Amino acid sequence: MNVSRRYTFTVVFDRKVRHRCYSAFLLRCLTFDLGVLRLRTMLQRVAVIGAGAAGLCAARHILSRPNSFAPPVVFELTSNVGGTWCYDERIGTYNNGWPIHSSMYRDLRTNLPKEVMMFPDFPFDPQLNSFLSHQEVQRYLERYCQRHNIRPHIRFSTVVEKVKPVVVTKEDKEKTTTWEVTSSDSSGFQKTETFDSVFVCSGHYSDPHIPDIPGMENFKGKVLHSHSYRFAEPFSGQSVVVLGAKASGLDISIELAKASAQVTLSHGRPRLTFPLPSGIQQSSPVVAIEDDGSIRFQDGSMAWADVLMFCTGYNFSYPFLDGDQLGLEIQDHMVSPLYRFLVPPAFPSLFFIGICKIICPFPNFDCQVQFALAVLDGSVSLPPQAEMEDEVRRALHEKVERGVQRRHLLIMDQDQWEYCWTLAQTAGFPPLPPVVRSLYEEVWRQRQVHPENYRRINYRLISDTEWEVIN
């Protein structure tokens, strides 16, 4: 009986308490929800175009700043991450009619060791050789994506069709910019969304640059760009003129020679003095194709060939952007003005990641992304538009004065180290350790002397300043 009375009393008491507690709980929930709503409206929405190395890097750092940024929306043209590292044996176009993005060939190995190629906070598997196959780099990017839980934020098989700035002038005459991003998925469904910022991470190794050569229509053989090269066996026994002797031209020439093709390596650089495989001869640049289909070189010599292969680089191509609207000049080899090779001065919430050439790519992307996010969260204040434009003009003019051709103005090479250091100092993140530059430059020297064999060497980082050979 006592138990029953206690039970009854407890029930009555609980009802009163529950009523008061429930009211307080509702008030707290309402306050919490309003706070979350305010927080969400304050968080910046960022669109990332491309899920290659640069896009994954952007997404990873955005996700690491949940107090400043909403989770990113990553638009990816293909059905996988990796960008150009995702090997696709097909050439031409995808089923949706868009051009095949990847320029990867079957037997490519990196020309930089993994010790300097890695993202600063995400090393490669130490058991791997220093110079990697494209499959190993692709697996690395997939692991990076998994580690940072990026995949749920990627919209695969989605084409970005238009990126348009929307500028609103407030009563105090302050201008704010948002971005309308129009995309369509594999079913053709199109939609337009609004973002506070856009990161262009679509790369610049997918739109082949083919120089204008008089009489090209007279050539009787096969013409292709290295973008459409996948492996050497189909060229066995054929005579191939390779135009261009930079990384891909030299690499592909060596592959072709090993497959018993007769290769003429045509270029305008100083004659290569290191030993080349038998089956490769050097020549001056191609200047014309004669009426009978023969090839005329700059030195006046003539030759016949079964194949002309252009290893002549790629164009910058952003079909979703209107350069005039953005105050940008977008040409085959040049995008300008870009403050710090990143930002159009007229629209400082649009960022081009990885636009420079001859760089240590993944560390460069990492520095650029962190600097860009520091701009967006207010940690870094950019100069006024006119001042940024003047700085870009001065920097490009200095390069031209040094004899740099206009099509090479975005080549960074030795300037990359000071550039990355400046980004780090300005935005307050750790700079690249000196060992990255040291090993990068050592490999460059080895590549000039042993173009066939330099990839046989393996390295290990000992500290931020030292590396060693471990063969």
Side-chain angles (χ1 to χ4, degrees), residues 260-282:
S260 301
Q262 294 301 309
V263 180
T264 299
L265 183 57
S266 168
H267 64 94
R269 309 177 77 189
R271 188 172 183 82
L272 305 177
T273 56
F274 47 73
L276 292 168
S278 60
I280 300 179
Q281 63 175 355
Q282 297 183 67

Side-chain angles (χ1 to χ4, degrees), residues 48-244:
V48 177
I49 302 174
L56 294 177
C57 180
R60 170 258 186 277
H61 283 291
I62 292 167
L63 287 168
S64 73
R65 294 158 170 78
N67 293 329
S68 300
F69 300 96
V73 176
V74 183
F75 298 91
E76 170 54 39
L77 175 67
T78 71
S79 58
N80 202 356
V81 302
T84 199
W85 291 101
C86 188
Y87 177 69
D88 192 329
E89 202 159 285
R90 295 174 296 174
I91 60 174
T93 60
Y94 297 110
N95 295 335
N96 60 9
W98 284 81
I100 298 290
H101 180 82
S102 179
S103 299
M104 194 58 54
Y105 44 96
R106 184 191 64 195
D107 298 325
L108 179 139
R109 290 177 66 199
T110 59
N111 60 5
L112 290 175
K114 71 180 191 299
E115 289 74 21
V116 303
M117 190 174 171
M118 66 184 186
F119 290 116
D121 60 351
F122 195 77
F124 281 89
D125 180 350
Q127 301 303 313
L128 296 174
N129 289 330
S130 285
F131 296 91
L132 308 173
S133 68
H134 61 77
Q135 294 95 332
E136 289 165 329
V137 179
Q138 174 67 17
R139 285 193 286 271
Y140 169 83
L141 293 174
E142 289 171 354
R143 286 196 302 112
Y144 183 84
C145 180
Q146 182 179 11
R147 169 71 62 85
H148 298 294
N149 197 29
I150 299 168
R151 188 172 286 270
H153 308 289
I154 303 175
R155 297 182 189 170
F156 292 104
S157 302
T158 300
V159 176
V160 173
E161 297 180 346
K162 190 171 184 62
V163 174
K164 175 186 173 184
V166 177
V167 181
V168 176
T169 304
K170 298 179 180 179
E171 291 181 1
D172 58 3
K173 296 186 179 180
E174 180 186 355
K175 292 182 178 180
T176 60
T177 301
T178 56
W179 298 88
E180 289 184 352
V181 177
T182 301
S183 64
S184 58
D185 61 21
S186 55
S187 70
F189 176 73
Q190 186 183 83
K191 65 177 175 180
T192 299
E193 300 162 275
T194 300
F195 296 89
D196 299 293
S197 176
V198 176
F199 281 48
V200 179
C201 303
S202 51
H204 50 83
Y205 295 109
S206 59
D207 183 22
H209 175 74
I210 298 181
D212 183 28
I213 295 177
M216 271 299 298
E217 68 279 2
N218 299 323
F219 186 68
K220 306 294 194 296
K222 182 176 183 178
V223 178
L224 76 158
H225 190 277
S226 58
H227 176 67
S228 299
Y229 171 81
R230 293 296 181 263
F231 35 81
E233 288 84 353
F235 303 94
S236 178
Q238 296 188 324
S239 57
V240 184
V241 173
V242 174
L243 291 85

